[in-house]
């Protein structure tokens, strides 16, 4: 059983001062095994903060990131799942499922995590999942000003992944859960 | 005839094992001894099974049938399985199939401690801790203990036990208690498979209809064996003429029976089962830790808090360590005193010995033999008809098993005796203790331990605690003593300490004697009591007499201590006059005793709560009650009509003597006392306590000393007034009581300068006009003014007395409380037993005091 925290588009300090306090209190070290971050942190301090939560940190580069060493895309394997990571500003139209599915096939991953739209979305697509964790700080995007802070926690266990969605709506943390099972046959068929 | 012709269904005969003779324990020659062993220990050669019986997991009655064993086994396993289902959390698998309704609570980041996920994370934390220890468990036996399967079993068991007992949690060392348990189960199972290999046929299920009806034994294996089958087996083995299974070794029979899967429980009931080793090991571990119904529960050894009902107020493992030294002291006092001299506290090494039951000192093989003995000892409590007073609560010595554990530790100490005695400093001593030699004769050690066990059990019952007291008093360094006994903090180097040591001992002994004599009759009590009093008062005299002035100065400086000290002194003082009464002239004694009897009557009239006469109540609480009751009796005595005039006199005299400081009224009395030639103090031992004690009591030194000296002067001149004088002293004492409270709380007025004042007043009697605090003078004038109406005065005084007594009791109690709190420091833990006990008696005495004072204040 592995817990993977996925978040992105924090835009600290340009568009938001910090993570919401409620999120910060929930994110404690010791529970999470991996963090995947889609980018746009945007400064090193946020990177350091994420490191305190969990040392195993994977970041791709957003268009506002100071650190230019972050890769454009990244793949990693956790348990029996292959995860792909990309900020998403490169994929046009932004947030389009078909385009993202293309990237998913390109990277050959089961779970693709992208950002940039600042809207939480999760699609089950072709035996895989495409997830956008939204903006963890609720920063405005170039598309919309109406953004709820949100992030995603994935509980990967064997062939099963449970996606917990944490969204801050009117000062209250709302939690949602999405189950996803990967069938072995689909994996071998690929 | 070839077996195949007889029974075609039969499997091929066992491999030609003619040359491989049966294991030694299966041969006929061992049969007799085997039986004798099994009478005592039913499953002697199946250690795991035997332990399960010994630990109380399986019924221990020898009449228990295999079926019963099977049932109990199945129950235990079911319990464990339930526990495992309930406590091992798998958060991502919804328990009842439905999705968790409240995601806000049940999500991985939930802050709610009750959520499944929080429990999961807590378990994971615990598991990490357990794993840290398990990965280092018995590296020398790594091929068994380090296998993933074994580690998994151990981890689950420890985890479950800790979850089941959250108050205890996981402590390092528990895994080493568990590992041998699992190991013996494994050995049992291996033995089973070995036997199964040898006698394959017996274990093979046969339903071929060739039932062989047993005559004497109709166990469930009737089904499985037939005569021809057995004959085949015999034929194949050739050596032993075994006609039926019954003629096999009983141990082997047992094994066959225990591996039987038939019966209501099915597979779950197989007593020796590899599948359920984990379940069995958990049951054993749980039984070992909780002690089932006995007094030795290993879990206690891991807790740092005293168990409920512990009289020593010490953590159990420290208590056990104390018991260990107690035993050592009895057995080998020279080694004991050597260890004490070095300052080697028992818990330095016994913590490690006891917590894992010697698991770190011996190799696994030897350890199993030791545990055989430990578990073989009964863990049930020995019933003892010992009073609470005597019972010191060394719980480990209350059961044979606990006694054996202590005895084993002492035997180990004795084994190291010569090398320990050769050590010169505590470091090397502990080095030797903590590096127990590997190559030891385990049998000898066990024999020694057994003999010590008997000793420990008998000793504990017959002569419980003087030794401990002695040990504590001897072993106390000056510093620790001053910590534990508040009254002696003042000047550790003065003779006071030595004397009070004997004083406490004496008091304790007196309490003992009184306790024993109580049954014999009251007439015998009185001499004992008197004797005790004599000695006590002698101590008082010596103590008071030898108390050097420097200590008084210190005394004055340490204001916080003074209150306690004063109270003690006052108590001593109250005892003093009684002693005097014995030493006095004939008529005085008569007069005094008359007074006492009258007083007793008065007390009984006044306070109905006392069923016995005052003597027996004295015996109940020998520490301070006597003094108070005695003096209170004097008071009630003074209320009785014939003595009214006397009382008048006392009052007037008391006030006059006190007021000779300001010399206003009753001039003649004061004049006589002052004009009489002053005699050396040493001539009148009776008067010493008053004088010297009054010098000790620094608060009212200023007015007491002149008064006492007046006493001295009066003594030879008019013996008739002597008793009155004494009463007056007591009267003074009471007032002092009241004032002490007032002043003790408000802080001493010029306490530091007091000694010089008193000395000046001593030497310079004629112009003894020391500055008196306004409160005291007011006090006395009020007394003298009250003197005209006797009844009012008496009532008022009694009320005052009651009030002041209450105050004092509160002071003493608070002091005790403080001490108790202080005593928690680790170093003194074992030593605190003494204080704890002393406090118990003192508290009892205080309770009595409280009763009396309540009655007094009510009047």
């Amino acid at each position: 059983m592995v817990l993977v925290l996925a978040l992105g588009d924090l835009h600290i300090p340009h568009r938001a001062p910090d993570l919401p306090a409620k999120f910060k209190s929930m994110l404690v070290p010791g529970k999470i095994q991996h963090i995947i971050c889609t980018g746009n942190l945007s400064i090193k301090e946020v990177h350091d903060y994420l490191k305190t939560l969990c040392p195993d940190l994977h970041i791709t580069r957003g268009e506002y990131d100071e650190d230019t060493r972050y890769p454009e895309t990244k793949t990693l394997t956790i348990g029996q799942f292959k995860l792909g990571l990309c900020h998403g500003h490169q994929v046009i139209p932004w947030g389009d499922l078909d385009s993202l599915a293309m990237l998913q096939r390109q990277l050959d991953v089961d779970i693709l995590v992208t950002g940039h739209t600042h809207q939480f979305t999760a699609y089950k697509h072709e035996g895989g999942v495409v997830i956008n964790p939204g903006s963890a700080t609720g920063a405005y995007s170039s598309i919309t000003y109406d953004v709820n802070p949100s992030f995603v926690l994935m509980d990967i266990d064997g062939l099963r992944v449970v996606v917990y969605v944490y969204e801050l709506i009117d000062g209250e943390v709302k939690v949602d859960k999405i189950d996803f099972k990967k069938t072995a046959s689909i994996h071998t068929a690929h | 005839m070839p077996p195949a012709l007889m029974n075609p269904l039969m499997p091929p005969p066992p491999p030609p094992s003619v040359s491989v003779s049966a294991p030694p324990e299966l041969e006929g020659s061992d049969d007799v001894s085997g039986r004798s062993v099994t009478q005592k220990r039913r499953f002697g050669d199946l250690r795991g099974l035997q332990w399960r019986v010994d630990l109380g997991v399986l019924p221990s009655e020898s009449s228990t049938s295999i079926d019963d064993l099977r049932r109990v086994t199945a129950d235990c396993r079911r319990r464990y399985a339930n526990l495992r289902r309930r406590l091992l959390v798998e958060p991502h698998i919804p328990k009842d199939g439905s999705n968790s309704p409240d995601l806000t609570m049940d999500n991985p980041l939930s802050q709610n401690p009750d959520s499944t996920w929080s429990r999961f994370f807590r378990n994971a934390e615990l598991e990490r801790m357990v794993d840290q220890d398990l990965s280092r468990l018995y590296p020398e036996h790594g091929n068994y203990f380090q296998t993933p399967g074994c580690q998994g079993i151990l981890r689950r068991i420890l985890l479950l036990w800790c979850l089941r007992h959250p108050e205890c949690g996981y402590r390092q060392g528990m895994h080493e208690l568990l590992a041998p348990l699992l190991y013996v189960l494994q050995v049992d199972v291996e033995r089973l498979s070995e036997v199964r290999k040898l006698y394959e046929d017996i274990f093979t299920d046969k339903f071929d209809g060739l039932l062989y009806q047993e005559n004497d034994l109709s166990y469930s294996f009737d089904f499985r064996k037939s005569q021809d089958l057995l004959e085949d087996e015999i034929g194949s083995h050739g050596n032993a003429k075994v006609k039926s299974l019954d003629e096999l070794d009983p141990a082997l029979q047992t094994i066959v029976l225990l591996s039987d899967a038939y019966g209501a429980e099915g597979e779950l009931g197989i007593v020796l089962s590899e599948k359920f080793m984990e379940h069995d090991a958990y049951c054993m571990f749980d039984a070992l830790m909780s002690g089932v119904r006995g007094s030795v529960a290993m879990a206690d050894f891991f807790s740092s808090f005293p168990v409920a009902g512990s009289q020593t107020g010490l953590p159990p493992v420290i208590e056990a360590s104390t018991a260990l030294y107690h035993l050592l002291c009895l057995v080998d006092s020279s080694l004991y005193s050597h260890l004490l001299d070095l300052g080697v506290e028992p818990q330095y090494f016994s913590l490690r010995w006891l917590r894992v039951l010697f698991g770190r000192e011996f190799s696994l093989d030897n350890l199993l033999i030791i545990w055989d003995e430990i578990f073989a000892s009964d863990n049930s409590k020995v019933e003892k008809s010992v009073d609470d007073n005597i019972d010191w609560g060394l719980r480990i010595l209350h059961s044979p098993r606990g006694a054996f554990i202590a005895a084993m530790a002492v035997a180990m100490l004795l084994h190291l005796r010569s090398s320990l005695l050769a050590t010169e400093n505590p470091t090397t001593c502990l080095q030797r203790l903590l590096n127990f030699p590997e190559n030891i004769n385990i049998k000898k050690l066990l024999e020694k331990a057994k003999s010590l066990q008997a000793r420990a059990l008998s000793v504990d019952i017959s002569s419980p605690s003087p030794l401990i007291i002695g040990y504590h008093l001897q072993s106390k360094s000056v510093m620790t003593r001053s910590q534990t006994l508040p009254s002696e903090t003042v000047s550790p180097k003065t003779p006071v300490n030595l004397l009070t040591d004997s004083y406490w001992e004496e008091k304790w002994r007196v309490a003992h004697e009184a306790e024993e004599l109580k049954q014999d009759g009251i007439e015998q009590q009185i001499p004992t009591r008197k004797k005790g009093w004599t000695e006590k008062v002698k101590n008082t005299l010596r103590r008071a007499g030898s108390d050097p002035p420097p200590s008084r100065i210190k005394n004055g400086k340490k204001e916080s201590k003074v209150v306690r000290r004063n109270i003690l002194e006052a108590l001593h003082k109250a005892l003093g006059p009684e002693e005097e009464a014995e030493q006095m002239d004939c008529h005085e004694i008569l007069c005094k005793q008359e007074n006492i009897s009258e007083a007793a009557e008065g007390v009984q009239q006044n306070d109905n709560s006392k069923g016995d006469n005052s003597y027996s109540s004295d015996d109940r609480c020998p520490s301070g009650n006597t003094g108070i009751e005695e003096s209170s009796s004097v008071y009630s005595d003074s209320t009785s009509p014939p003595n009214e005039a006397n009382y008048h006199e006392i009052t007037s005299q008391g006030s006059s003597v006190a007021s000779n400081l300001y010399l206003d009224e009753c001039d003649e009395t004061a004049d006589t006392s002052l004009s009489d030639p002053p005699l050396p103090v040493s001539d009148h031992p009776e008067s010493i306590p008053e004088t010297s004690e009054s010098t000790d009591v620094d608060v009212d030194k200023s007015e007491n000393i002149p008064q006492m000296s007046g006493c001295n002067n009066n003594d030879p001149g008019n013996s008739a007034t002597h008793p009155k004088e004494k009463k007056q002293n007591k009267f003074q004492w009471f007032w002092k009581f009241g004032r002490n409270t007032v002043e003790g709380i408000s802080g001493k007025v010029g306490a530091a300068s007091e000694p010089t004042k008193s000395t000046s007043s001593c030497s310079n009697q004629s112009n003894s006009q020391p500055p008196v605090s306004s409160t005291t003078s007011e006090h006395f004038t009020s007394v003298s003014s009250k003197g005209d109406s006797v009844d009012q005065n008496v009532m008022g005084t009694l009320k005052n007395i009651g009030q002041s007594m209450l105050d004092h009791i509160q002071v003493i109690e608070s002091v005790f409380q403080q001490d108790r709190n202080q005593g928690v420091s680790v170093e003194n833990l074992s030593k605190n037993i003494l204080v704890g006990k002393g406090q118990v008696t003192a508290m009892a005495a205080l309770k009595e005091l409280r009763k009396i004072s309540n009655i007094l204040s009510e009047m």
Side-chain angles (χ1 to χ4, degrees):
Chain A
M1 195 217 69
V2 184
L3 287 181
V4 183
L5 174 70
L7 80 174
D9 292 312
L10 293 97
H11 288 283
I12 296 171
H14 307 114
R15 302 187 191 175
D18 202 355
L19 274 174
K22 292 222 170 173
F23 280 1
K24 264 201 156 169
S25 70
M26 292 170 82
L27 295 170
V28 288
K31 288 182 174 179
I32 298 157
Q33 279 84 39
H34 308 276
I35 296 180
I36 52 180
C37 180
T38 54
N40 276 349
L41 299 176
S42 311
I43 50 170
K44 190 178 172 296
E45 278 73 13
V46 180
H47 173 273
D48 292 344
Y49 165 73
L50 293 177
K51 274 270 184 193
T52 65
L53 295 181
C54 164
D56 190 50
L57 177 63
H58 306 275
I59 302 176
T60 50
R61 185 164 179 238
E63 73 271 40
Y64 291 102
D65 270 324
E66 283 179 346
D67 195 333
T68 51
R69 285 169 301 175
Y70 298 145
E72 292 291 325
T73 60
K74 195 166 186 176
T75 58
L76 58 150
T77 308
I78 295 170
Q80 308 208 24
F81 282 89
K82 205 173 171 198
L83 276 76
L85 189 60
C86 178
H87 179 254
H89 64 271
Q90 310 95 326
V91 182
I92 40 177
W94 291 338
D96 180 63
L97 178 61
D98 286 335
S99 310
L100 291 172
M102 211 143 62
L103 180 64
Q104 184 191 2
R105 283 192 294 275
Q106 221 171 13
L107 297 174
D108 188 19
V109 290
D110 302 308
I111 301 169
L112 176 68
V113 182
T114 58
H116 190 61
T117 61
H118 296 210
Q119 295 292 332
F120 165 76
T121 50
Y123 305 105
K124 288 180 191 175
H125 183 73
E126 289 181 8
V129 193
V130 177
I131 297 173
N132 186 332
S135 165
T137 55
Y140 63 86
S141 75
S142 46
I143 306 167
T144 173
Y145 280 91
D146 183 25
V147 178
N148 283 326
S150 65
F151 67 89
V152 159
L153 189 69
M154 288 182 282
D155 173 11
I156 298 175
D157 186 47
L159 287 174
R160 187 167 180 262
V161 60
V162 183
V163 180
Y164 293 89
V165 186
Y166 293 82
E167 202 167 359
L168 192 69
I169 301 172
D170 300 330
E172 289 300 317
V173 178
K174 196 175 143 276
V175 187
D176 216 337
K177 190 168 99 169
I178 299 163
D179 259 331
F180 172 66
K181 263 195 189 108
K182 180 173 106 166
T183 49
S185 58
I186 289 174
H187 187 62
T188 48
H190 264 277
Chain B
M1 101 181 42
L5 293 182
M6 278 294 298
N7 184 3
L9 287 176
M10 207 196 70
S17 57
V18 186
S19 58
V20 182
S21 64
E25 65 264 27
L26 299 184
E27 280 172 12
S29 60
D30 275 65
D31 206 344
V32 182
S33 63
R35 264 184 213 287
S36 68
V37 166
T38 44
Q39 274 174 0
K40 186 179 157 240
R41 315 196 56 190
R42 194 170 170 197
F43 309 108
D45 67 332
L46 288 174
R47 183 175 266 146
L49 199 57
Q50 182 61 43
W51 283 11
R52 275 152 83 185
V53 173
D54 286 342
L55 286 170
V57 177
L58 297 179
S60 57
E61 291 78 26
S62 56
S63 59
T64 322
S65 72
I66 299 287
D67 283 328
D68 287 338
L69 287 184
R70 202 175 285 138
R71 208 187 51 246
V72 176
T73 309
D75 286 346
C76 292
R77 288 168 180 170
R78 248 178 240 125
R79 268 203 301 279
Y80 174 75
N82 280 336
L83 202 66
R84 192 169 142 179
R85 245 197 312 277
R86 190 159 57 84
L87 288 180
L88 286 191
V89 190
E90 304 264 330
H92 38 272
I93 298 170
K95 261 188 203 162
D96 34 7
S98 65
N99 278 346
S100 179
D102 190 6
L103 264 178
T104 319
M105 190 185 120
D106 253 346
N107 64 71
L109 297 181
S110 169
Q111 310 284 303
N112 190 327
D114 298 327
S115 72
T116 333
W117 279 95
S118 309
R119 274 168 57 205
F120 171 79
F121 282 120
R122 277 201 300 275
N123 290 5
E125 181 72 23
L126 196 61
E127 205 170 309
R128 255 199 303 281
M129 208 155 72
V130 171
D131 265 346
Q132 244 171 21
D133 285 344
L134 283 183
S135 59
R136 294 172 294 162
L137 177 72
Y138 284 119
E140 68 271 22
H141 295 276
N143 49 10
Y144 175 62
F145 287 113
Q146 294 301 327
T147 52
C150 177
Q151 294 261 311
I153 292 177
L154 292 172
R155 183 185 309 122
R156 275 193 299 275
I157 294 174
L158 286 172
L159 207 60
L160 276 181
W161 192 87
C162 298
L163 291 175
R164 186 82 181 70
H165 303 85
E167 73 284 353
C168 199
Y170 179 75
R171 297 274 186 290
Q172 204 170 28
M174 285 180 181
H175 65 300
E176 292 190 24
L177 280 176
L178 172 63
L181 299 179
L182 186 66
Y183 182 71
V184 293
L185 287 175
Q186 175 71 29
V187 169
D188 273 7
V189 169
E190 271 167 19
R191 169 119 171 71
L192 172 71
S193 64
E194 184 184 298
V195 171
R196 193 192 288 269
K197 219 180 277 168
L198 269 178
Y199 301 92
E200 202 171 338
D201 310 332
I202 302 174
F203 290 96
T204 317
D205 294 341
K206 288 291 167 195
F207 293 101
D208 53 2
L210 293 170
L211 290 182
Y212 174 74
Q213 289 302 323
E214 302 283 345
N215 297 327
D216 49 348
L217 204 66
S218 52
Y219 273 129
S220 50
F221 56 87
D222 287 0
F223 300 124
R224 287 171 290 131
K225 58 188 158 45
S226 52
Q227 194 169 22
D228 53 316
L229 209 157
L230 282 161
E231 274 172 359
D232 292 338
E233 182 227 320
I234 293 153
S236 68
H237 281 263
N239 42 8
K241 288 286 166 199
V242 184
K243 283 287 173 216
S244 72
L245 184 60
D246 305 313
E247 288 172 35
L248 282 173
D249 185 273
L252 184 60
Q253 276 184 38
T254 326
I255 294 177
V256 174
L257 291 179
L258 292 176
S259 63
D260 181 13
Y262 291 96
E265 284 80 19
E267 209 178 356
L268 198 61
I270 302 176
V271 182
L272 291 179
S273 164
E274 190 163 8
K275 245 188 207 169
F276 298 109
M277 250 176 14
E278 180 180 337
H279 303 60
D280 295 339
Y282 176 83
C283 294
M284 290 167 78
F285 183 65
D286 188 37
L288 176 64
M289 293 304 274
S290 64
V292 193
R293 53 192 172 273
S295 59
V296 178
M298 291 308 293
D300 288 347
F301 285 171
F302 288 96
S303 86
S304 49
F305 306 104
V307 289
S310 158
Q311 283 149 14
T312 50
L314 294 174
V317 70
I318 306 290
E319 195 178 289
S321 307
T322 317
L324 192 156
Y325 257 27
H326 174 47
L327 186 61
L328 177 64
C329 174
L330 293 176
V331 175
D332 188 344
S333 56
S334 61
L335 177 58
Y336 166 76
S337 54
H338 179 72
L339 289 176
L340 274 192
D341 288 344
L342 290 181
V344 178
E345 300 272 336
Q347 57 265 31
Y348 293 167
F349 54 91
S350 69
L351 211 68
R352 166 170 148 171
W353 289 5
L354 295 177
R355 279 201 174 153
V356 294
L357 281 180
F358 313 107
R360 297 228 136 220
E361 318 305 318
F362 299 95
S363 67
L364 188 60
D365 297 335
N366 282 341
L367 182 69
L368 297 184
I369 299 171
I370 292 169
W371 281 20
D372 273 344
E373 293 299 330
I374 290 177
F375 296 153
S377 306
D378 191 13
N379 194 19
S380 58
K381 251 177 212 165
V382 177
E383 282 303 318
K384 283 193 279 186
S385 57
V386 189
D387 246 296
D388 283 354
N389 237 358
I390 303 169
D391 187 7
W392 272 58
L394 295 176
R395 278 174 16 122
I396 192 173
L397 294 181
H398 287 190
S399 73
R401 184 180 298 173
F404 185 82
I405 292 170
M408 184 68 205
V410 173
M412 286 165 71
L413 281 174
L414 293 180
H415 179 79
L416 294 173
R417 183 174 195 274
S418 53
S419 75
L420 286 182
L421 282 176
T423 56
E424 308 228 315
N425 59 53
T427 317
T428 49
C429 184
L430 278 175
Q431 256 169 9
R432 284 174 195 183
L433 278 170
L434 293 177
N435 295 308
F436 203 74
E438 295 266 322
N439 49 345
I440 37 141
N441 189 342
I442 193 74
K443 286 224 171 59
K444 262 189 186 168
L445 206 60
L446 283 174
E447 274 166 27
K448 183 86 186 149
K450 267 182 208 162
S451 65
L452 288 173
Q453 177 195 19
R455 183 103 189 256
L457 279 172
S458 64
V459 149
D460 182 46
I461 296 169
S462 62
S463 75
S465 23
L467 268 158
I468 298 179
I469 296 186
Y471 146 48
H472 281 291
L473 285 175
Q474 286 156 20
S475 69
K476 289 277 175 326
S477 65
V478 171
M479 289 228 285
T480 49
R481 205 188 296 144
S482 66
Q483 249 188 329
T484 50
L485 293 178
S487 64
E488 290 158 18
T489 47
V490 187
S491 51
K493 281 173 193 168
T494 57
V496 176
N497 273 327
L498 300 173
L499 289 171
T500 36
D501 272 4
S502 61
Y503 169 72
W504 284 107
E505 264 178 313
E506 183 60 37
K507 203 165 81 170
W508 199 86
R509 200 180 59 77
V510 169
H512 248 274
E513 279 178 10
E515 198 66 43
E516 284 163 13
L517 286 170
K518 212 171 180 178
Q519 289 96 21
D520 295 344
I522 297 169
E523 65 277 359
Q524 282 183 359
Q525 284 176 17
I526 298 165
T528 325
R529 189 181 59 90
K530 293 273 193 224
K531 194 179 162 230
W533 277 28
T534 328
E535 271 156 355
K536 239 186 280 179
V537 174
K538 263 183 204 153
N539 284 334
T540 318
L541 291 175
R542 270 148 70 202
R543 175 180 173 175
S546 60
D547 207 5
S551 77
R552 269 190 282 126
I553 293 165
K554 270 190 190 172
N555 204 356
K557 281 174 188 165
K558 295 193 176 180
E559 292 187 4
S560 59
K561 312 287 183 197
V562 168
V563 182
R564 306 178 200 169
R565 196 184 165 88
N566 280 346
I567 291 162
L568 267 180
E569 298 289 342
L571 291 176
H572 283 244
K573 211 169 170 187
L575 294 172
E578 168 69 10
E579 170 67 11
E580 278 177 297
E582 284 166 29
Q583 289 177 351
M584 253 187 285
D585 300 344
C586 222
H587 74 278
E588 277 179 5
I589 291 169
L590 282 175
C591 159
K592 182 72 187 173
Q593 276 172 354
E594 218 175 70
N595 282 350
I596 287 171
S597 58
E598 279 174 9
E601 277 174 25
V603 168
Q604 275 177 342
Q605 280 171 7
N606 291 338
D607 100 36
N608 294 326
S609 67
K610 296 272 176 293
D612 319 5
N613 58 26
S614 54
Y615 286 142
S616 57
S617 60
D618 281 355
D619 286 331
R620 268 209 304 277
C621 34
S623 63
N625 195 9
T626 52
I628 302 298
E629 218 166 271
E630 188 52 40
S631 14
S632 67
S633 71
V634 173
Y635 262 90
S636 55
D637 156 49
S638 62
T639 55
S640 58
N643 285 352
E644 225 167 85
N646 197 6
Y647 177 70
H648 255 302
E649 208 174 356
I650 292 160
T651 326
S652 61
Q653 214 169 16
S655 56
S656 70
V657 174
S659 62
N660 69 359
L661 307 169
Y662 37 94
L663 300 166
D664 49 358
E665 40 185 21
C666 299
D667 268 341
E668 66 285 353
T669 342
D671 278 346
T672 47
S673 64
L674 285 176
S675 63
D676 273 337
L679 285 169
V681 171
S682 56
D683 281 354
H684 293 275
E686 306 91 17
S687 59
I688 288 179
E690 278 100 1
T691 356
S692 47
E693 272 164 20
S694 65
T695 51
D696 273 348
V697 182
D698 42 357
V699 187
D700 34 13
K701 227 174 262 160
S702 43
E703 64 270 353
N704 261 341
I705 283 166
Q707 180 228 330
M708 295 310 169
S709 57
C711 241
N712 288 343
N713 297 338
N714 280 343
D715 272 347
N718 43 357
S719 58
T721 57
H722 197 99
K724 295 177 206 158
E725 284 284 343
K726 272 208 306 294
K727 276 175 207 145
Q728 169 209 323
N729 287 343
K730 280 170 192 160
F731 188 47
Q732 287 290 325
W733 177 73
F734 267 108
W735 283 120
K736 209 157 51 195
F737 235 83
R739 261 201 320 285
N740 275 353
T741 339
V742 176
E743 295 191 6
I745 290 163
S746 66
K748 308 286 180 300
V749 183
S753 62
E754 207 83 91
T756 48
K757 278 183 211 164
S758 63
T759 42
S760 71
S761 62
C762 261
S763 58
N764 210 357
Q765 275 184 20
S766 54
N767 49 2
S768 59
Q769 296 264 12
V772 186
S773 61
S774 58
T775 49
T776 36
S777 54
E778 271 170 25
H779 221 100
F780 271 89
T781 43
S782 69
V783 170
S784 50
S785 65
K786 270 185 205 162
D788 44 23
S789 70
V790 174
D791 288 349
Q792 260 186 15
N793 194 3
V794 165
M795 295 310 280
T797 349
L798 285 178
K799 268 181 195 161
N800 279 340
I801 289 160
Q803 204 54 49
S804 65
M805 275 174 76
L806 266 180
D807 290 342
H808 268 271
I809 289 161
Q810 272 165 9
V811 169
I812 295 172
E813 275 174 348
S814 66
V815 165
F816 274 133
Q817 292 303 323
Q818 272 177 15
D819 284 334
R820 207 164 269 177
N821 292 338
Q822 282 172 5
V824 191
S825 74
V826 184
E827 268 202 30
N828 289 325
L829 278 176
S830 66
K831 292 167 183 172
N832 271 338
I833 287 185
L834 166 73
V835 189
K837 206 63 193 176
Q839 281 175 355
V840 169
T841 25
M843 290 306 272
L846 275 177
K847 265 181 207 157
E848 293 291 327
L849 274 178
R850 213 173 237 289
K851 270 188 207 163
I852 298 164
S853 55
N854 276 338
I855 289 151
L856 278 173
S857 55
E858 274 168 21
M859 282 193 311

